[in-house]
Amino acid sequence: MVQKEEGVRDEMDEKNLKTDGEKKNRGICFLAGALAVLLLLYLGLRIWNQKQEEKQQEKAEADIIHVTETDAGEIVSLKFNVGNGEMEFTKEDGAWYYTPDRDFPLVQSYPEDMAESAGNIEAARELTDGDTMEDYGLDEPSYTLEYTDADGNQTEVYFGNMTGDSYYVTVGDTGSVYTVDSAVIDSFNYTLDEMAQLDEYPNIGSGNLLREVITQNGETTIYDSENSDQEEEIAAVAGGLGAVTLSEAADYSVEEEDLAGFGLDEASRITVEATYTTDEEEQVLTLYIGGEDGDGNRYVMINDSRIVYLISAAICENILNT
């Protein structure tokens, strides 16, 4: 009798376990199903949002009024005058040059930005009220911009009077007039000096100047930091060398035959060789000092650069310890 009761209990326990397992399986299936539904809803909502964003972008692009529409990489020449005089740049083999002087040390980012701006001018609106070009100041434009693409297609943009913060603009002889934000000319509003890649000048002072060798008229003067009798001289010349800033140029690519005009030909110039340390390594700066410009400056060149700089005569006197 006891064995029979135990068998009944075992059978009931087995049924209960089976029922619990089935409940758990049903719960897992329910959660998996709910998760799948949520995932489908999420994906559906994401796709819907993406399509809405695409529609908004397409609408925004459709509303854009393009005055010019040329890929910057296709532009191979730029010619413009936005108030700093006429400038012209040419692109050859992937590099931009200042057209009147290919040796000019041009910072490439400037013409690259200009090409980007020139080929992508957008208008706030196109005018259709029928006024004459004279009414917009486009019969005698304030500014002009011209570019040519790789296929030889030329685009001319003319800027007339201002209206608020915008210019009246037309392209070639199309007769269409637009209003364009005045910021469009910002990329072109640089002087040639601002677009020059000047030489880097080292950090020199009494703490890292080892010696200075001055050669003038065939005579040589040496200031050596290891000479205890020259402490004052080393401090003076180091102060001069440390005060140099290469910020103003008299010529960006001087020709050999023009050096004499600056007092920088071999027969006239003073040669200064400064040996200094950078990160415990010895470096040599060669400085050529020429004549005066009449405004308190002297003409100077460094190393093998072809740029002639203007440096204060007082600084040069310190460098020469005169």
Side-chain angles (χ1 to χ4, degrees), residues 87-211:
M87 293 191 186
E88 187 173 354
F89 301 94
T90 306
K91 186 179 181 182
E92 293 180 13
D93 298 326
W96 283 97
Y97 300 93
Y98 176 52
T99 307
D101 182 3
R102 287 174 58 88
D103 293 326
F104 178 82
L106 180 65
V107 177
Q108 293 293 296
S109 60
Y110 286 100
E112 288 170 357
D113 290 345
M114 291 171 184
E116 187 71 38
S117 297
N120 187 34
I121 298 176
E122 298 175 358
R125 62 193 179 103
E126 181 177 0
L127 305 180
T128 57
D129 55 13
D131 287 346
T132 66
M133 290 293 170
E134 186 177 0
D135 293 326
Y136 300 118
L138 290 166
D139 58 327
E140 296 181 3
S142 301
Y143 305 131
T144 58
L145 165 62
E146 177 185 310
Y147 68 83
T148 305
D149 66 20
D151 295 326
N153 300 311
Q154 193 174 81
T155 302
E156 298 171 336
V157 184
Y158 303 108
F159 296 78
N161 298 333
M162 289 197 73
T163 172
D165 292 328
S166 301
Y167 285 106
Y168 291 116
V169 168
T170 190
V171 179
D173 56 1
T174 60
S176 299
V177 178
Y178 308 88
T179 57
V180 172
D181 193 302
S182 60
V184 74
I185 67 169
D186 288 351
S187 297
F188 307 91
N189 199 15
Y190 294 97
T191 64
L192 199 57
D193 288 347
E194 292 173 317
M195 292 185 279
Q197 178 65 65
L198 302 181
D199 297 294
E200 290 187 9
Y201 186 81
N203 183 20
I204 300 178
S206 56
N208 68 338
L209 178 64
L210 299 179
R211 63 188 161 275

Side-chain angles (χ1 to χ4, degrees), residues 19 37 43 47 75 82 103 133 139 173 206 264 277 297 316:
T19 300
V37 171
L43 292 174
I47 292 171
I75 295 177
V82 296
D103 293 326
M133 290 293 170
D139 58 327
D173 56 1
S206 56
L264 287 167
T277 57
N297 302 300
C316 291

Side-chain angles (χ1 to χ4, degrees), residues 34-46:
L35 182 61
V37 171
L38 290 173
L39 183 60
L40 289 172
L41 288 173
Y42 169 74
L43 292 174
L45 182 61
R46 185 174 178 179

